[in-house]
Structure formats: C-alpha cells, structure tokens
Amino acid sequence: MACCNVETIFGLGNIGRKLQVFPSHNYKASVISCVAVGPSQIPQVPWKLVFHEKERSLLSNEKYGIYGGKFVPETLISPLTKLDYEFNSALRDPLFQMELEVTLRDYVGRETPLYFAQRLTDYYKSINRGTGPDIYLKREDLNHGGAHKINNAIAQAMLAKRMGCKSVMAATGAGQHGVATAAACAKLSLECTIFMGSLDMERQPSNVLLMKHLGAKVKSVNGNFKDAVSEGIRNWVNDLETSYFLAGAAVGPHPCPTMVREFQSIIGKETRKQAMEKWGGKPDVLVACVGSGSNALGLFHEFIQDQDVRLIGVEAGGSGLDSGKHSATMARGEVGVYHGAMSYLLQDEEGQIIGPHSIGVGLEYPGVSPELSYLKDIGRAEFSSVTDEQALEAYKRLCRLEGIFPALESSHALAFLEKLCPTLKDGEKVVVNLSGRGDKDAAAVFNHTPKHE
C-alpha cells in the first residue's frame, strides 16, 4: 500500500478533494471503513474488523447517502472504530445514561426553557398587517457556559474518562466549544488542550480567558477554526493511546458527526415535549443557524420524520453571496472531502479551500455536516442565508425587544425571521434555536454600530 500523508488524507490546510474522484458506485454496502491513500485518494476496501459478528450492532452507520465516511490514514481507522464501539456501548449502558441525565440536569442546567418571545412576535405582526406566527426561542444560551456546546462536551468528556483517556484535545472557533470542553475536563479531572485560530483569539478574547481560568492550555494556531481543527487532529495522531479528540462540530470522520448530533439531540427532544405542554402540538417551523451544523441538528433531528414540520438552516451570507466573503456552504459549495468526511464544501475548481467569512466567528467553516448535506439533497431541510448586517440588526432587535443578547451566530437564525414571518399564517408556531449567549460579541456589535444609534 502506498504511503499516506495526514495532511493529504484529511484535506488539512487548504486542500480539499472533489466528488468526481469518488464515484459512489465504487462503494460496497458491506464496507465499514474507507482508507484513502496518496494524492489520488483511491478507496481501499475492505478493512477487517477486530470485533466478533455479534458486536457489529455496536458500530453505527457511517454514511448519509454519499456523505460522511472515514477518509483517513490507516493509523486512525482502528481508533475511530474503537470510538464508534465505545460510543454505542455507552448509549446502551443504563448507568452511563443515568449519570449523563443527572449531569445534564444538575451541572448543565437542563432542561432549557422554550420561551415565548411576545414582543418579538408583536413586532413582526405589526409590520405584517397584524398577522404572523408566534415566535418561541429555545434558550440554549442559558446552559452552563452560555451555549449548546456543553451538551456534547460533557457527554464526550464522560466517554473519554470511561475509555481510560487521561487528556482531551479540542479545536474551537468562537470559543464556546473550548469553554465547554475546558469546563467538562475540569469537572472530570482530565487534562485539556484547546487549539484556537489566532484570528479567532483576537476576536473572542473573553472566551480565551475563560478557558485558561478553567485550567485548559490554549494553543494559538495561525489562521481560524479550520486551521485549529487541522492542528488538533495532527496532535491527536501523535498520542492516540492516552488522548481523546473531543469534536464539537458535526463534521470530521465517522463517528464524530454522529456523536455530536446524538449528544445535541436533547434540544429537539425537549422542544417536542415543551411544545406539547405549551400548545398541545408540534412546532410548524424550526429555525437554526448553520456553521458546521451541531445546533441545527440538535434541534432538527427529533423532527426529521415529522414531514409537517419545516426545518430551516440559516447560513452566514457574510458580505453577500456574490462578494466571495461568506460561509454559505450549502448555497455555494460543491461536494468534496475535507477533514476526513464527504460533504458540501467551499472549494475552487482545483479543490482548494475557499476561506469562509462571517461576523459570527463560530460560523466560519468551509464544510458542513454530512447529515445536513444529505437532508438538503433529499429536500427534507431548507437552507437560506443572511448577511453580517442583517445578523447585527437581529442581535440589537432581540436585545431591545426581549432583553436577551444572542450570540452573533444565533442572530443569523433570528435575522431570517424578516423573510420568514410574512410567509406564514397567523398563529403558526416558529421555534428558533438560541444556541448561544451574546456577551462575547458585545464589543463586535458595538464597533459595527453607528455612533448616532
């Protein structure tokens, strides 16, 4: 077998791989893993499992249509398969589930409220001839740490400890996943190293300080989130025996996207229960911002089989889709491979990564969840985008109408209400995932606000 290079395989740096070199008909249904080697990225199959036949049920499905998979060097196939096995074992372990339930309740602060935004509802009705939907906010900003990220971070940290790992590595963009991981590691007495892009550290200094207060080592990486992920993976490869790479984004090689989605799905499960309690039915529309897709899938997954519930993901339109400065992967991306998985990807004709842009730091990623990619293709989820300016206005609007400061990432979902509300009937129920708190963004909003306001 030809030698493989981690940077080539993962699409680290600025190199992705386009779909046309991965014909879907070459994959066999029985294949668990796919190792891509060398610049040509030729799939080599099959990889022999170390598990008995009866244990195959503890290995989850790694593909969503053509999306997902494990485009990784051979050295990572065994650790990733072991992780898949341990993850599914934990899901079936009543003691682990009970401990997680207690931790989510007593440490994280779940369940989070489904809040009726009366004044925001009235605002949109007032500009639409007195009619419009009722708007509810799923208050993930009230979690410990101020974002939805802790749902997944604490669960994976518990899994890392269960597996006997001594240290945890993670990559973060806006810093919310970094703070959540640092907090979880402090609680569970695990060493913690967070990789963060130098550009993001300048934009989110408060979260850098919080990570350090929580005992984490914060390592600066030249660039932004995608570069931090690459560096985190490199370091994990060097210490596979005792370290754990705690993914916070719903991207990367299997089982990482599935794990993140599963541990975030508590958001949608609570939303279903709370909607039934509040109005005796389901939401009509769910709205969430989309960077990699962790908070969107957390809300959407529970309702995927409910065809009468619309699922709307809102991407970062940056300075406009035609400006070249955006993070709208679903709108302008093509199918390719990056960081070990196939999904939609911002790339040029030669597979070079197009740098993403958004005022919401956590939305700056050139790829997106394999599962969301699949939901787009089958038409189950809709996707739109809003600009930086629209997100800034939505941030200020929620502050002034409801006394709630949303993260700039979440503000993209709120901004979409401008387009959505006029199209809905009076009294329809819209749930927006308020995925994070916006105190980290207060300075950025202030700096973009005209002095006369």
Side-chain angles (χ1 to χ4, degrees), residues 1 39 51 64 77 114 137 144 148 159 161 181 183 215 217 223 303 365 404 413 425 442:
M1 183 176 288
F51 301 111
Y64 301 94
I77 291 294
L114 184 61
L137 307 179
H144 175 49
H148 72 292
L159 182 62
K161 190 143 189 172
T181 301
K217 297 177 183 177
F303 296 93
Y365 186 73
I404 299 171
K425 298 176 182 177

Side-chain angles (χ1 to χ4, degrees), residues 148 264 267 287-291 293-300 433-435:
H148 72 292
Q264 292 293 358
I267 302 171
V287 185
C289 65
V290 173
S294 63
N295 93 92
L297 280 172
L299 180 63
F300 295 170
N433 196 11
L434 199 62
S435 57

